[in-house]
Amino acid sequence: MDNRAPLWMIGATALNRAGGLIMILILGHAIAPDLLAGYFSAIVTIGVAISITQAGCGPLLVRLAQNRQWRAVMGIVMLRVALALAAIIILAPGLPPVAWPVLMMPLAAALSPDWIITARLQFHRILAIGSLGQIAGIAIALYASAGPATNSTAWLYGCAPAISLTTCLASAFWAWSGGHKPRHSPANTSPAAIPLNIKIWPQLVLLTLLAGLLPNIDIAFLPSTLAQSDHDALMLVHRLLLLCAAGFAAISGVLFAQKQTGAGRDIWLFIPALCMALALLILPNAALTLLFGHSSAASSDILRLAAPWPLLLALVLRQILILQERSGHVVLATLAMVICVGGAAALAQLGTVDGIVMAMNAKLALLAGLFMMAARLDVWQRYASCQN
């Protein structure tokens, strides 16, 4: 088992973030603000379609591939393609004609076989795929901003699709190329892999969706009555928290694919989380200045209140990794989704930033406690069953 695997995924995440920042800097200095606003609006719209297309299927496809359940894999991929085509048909009339390249993104996301590379534990390939995608996107951005002859809106709308198509093609090359054999793959260690129990599919999808929603959904429900200065400060803090969440998502994806348990799983999750929490608590000004080039007293105070958030998120992700492949937790996963969405709606009723941040921490703590109780009950039931 490759102990450096989480580092490959963290590197890929950092590379994608850096590439996106470079593209924004290039386009922001060369494209008119009104054109950029339209472009970002189209990307947000198509991003929703991509989320629906991929909804919670990633870990399920990884495990099905590792267990050689190819018929189920093909069914899920066909469903993803159907969802992508439906999203394209629905969204196309609402987009300007010049934005047609972004309509390719849901289909590229549905067809991309990057989950095969993850199932094979070839995480170094994920970093290479991300590099190629970012290079393609930056190249199109440079071409779009090169001068009057090429500074057209059509090339602007080609930046994000260039990333999607390049990563899809690179994933397909490494997934299907016969020259690259799977390394350390659980499917190769035994002649007959045990099929994944179909009863856990719904909870696996629900818990995957939960892990994806947790970092973003609270901010999506922010009240319009919040003061503009408080809103801006909270958005800056949330952007920093999203960087922490992206790192945890990469790490937990690796731990899931490797079927990592015990101390190894906890070390990879909690040591980075503890370091992040301490940095946000002790050095909030330095963290904000490093990311945004400036900091304010209001943002620093909010960041200190949010310091437990990375640690609580890591705890929730740990419990999800423990429970998502144990049968009998569909009701728990549904309840957690209700708490996630309902808690975000209730959080929006709070009128102060401090209250919102503390409620965000409290919601994660509630979910972590709920999952821990379920895990203990699950262990007790298994123990009682063995005794009987």
Side-chain angles (χ1 to χ4, degrees), residues 180-191:
H180 300 286
K181 301 297 182 182
R183 303 191 313 168
H184 313 297
S185 174
N188 291 338
T189 59
S190 60

Side-chain angles (χ1 to χ4, degrees), residues 146-355:
T150 58
N151 190 4
S152 65
T153 309
W155 284 107
L156 170 66
Y157 281 95
C159 295
I163 298 175
S164 296
L165 292 175
T166 302
T167 55
C168 179
L169 292 174
S171 299
F173 172 77
W174 274 307
W176 304 116
S177 175
H180 300 286
K181 301 297 182 182
R183 303 191 313 168
H184 313 297
S185 174
N188 291 338
T189 59
S190 60
I194 300 174
L196 186 67
N197 186 355
I198 196 172
K199 292 182 179 179
I200 72 169
W201 291 18
Q203 70 184 44
L204 187 58
V205 170
L206 283 171
L207 290 174
T208 302
L209 285 173
L210 175 68
L213 284 175
L214 280 175
N216 286 295
I217 193 166
D218 292 332
I219 300 302
F221 283 84
L222 280 182
S224 57
T225 56
L226 201 62
Q228 187 63 42
S229 58
D230 290 342
H231 178 273
D232 294 344
L234 184 56
M235 292 303 294
L236 292 179
V237 169
H238 182 251
R239 179 57 54 182
L240 205 156
L241 294 179
L242 282 182
L243 292 178
C244 301
F248 292 140
I251 293 171
S252 61
V254 171
L255 297 177
F256 174 83
Q258 289 186 321
K259 301 183 181 180
Q260 181 71 263
T261 59
R265 174 194 60 215
D266 295 344
I267 288 172
W268 273 111
L269 278 174
F270 287 124
I271 288 183
L274 184 60
C275 293
M276 291 175 186
L278 289 175
L280 299 184
L281 181 64
I282 300 173
L283 301 169
N285 290 322
L288 289 167
T289 302
L290 179 65
L291 187 62
F292 303 111
H294 63 85
S295 65
S296 64
S299 297
S300 298
D301 292 340
I302 296 170
L303 197 54
R304 285 194 179 94
L305 282 177
W309 192 90
L311 199 56
L312 291 169
L313 180 63
L315 183 57
V316 172
L317 293 178
R318 174 189 184 270
Q319 299 306 125
I320 288 177
L321 286 171
I322 291 173
L323 293 174
Q324 61 187 353
E325 290 186 278
R326 295 180 182 177
S327 60
H329 294 298
V330 177
V331 174
L332 174 66
T334 305
L335 176 61
M337 285 292 292
V338 171
I339 293 174
C340 177
V341 178
L347 179 146
Q349 305 305 314
L350 301 174
T352 64
V353 174
D354 292 353

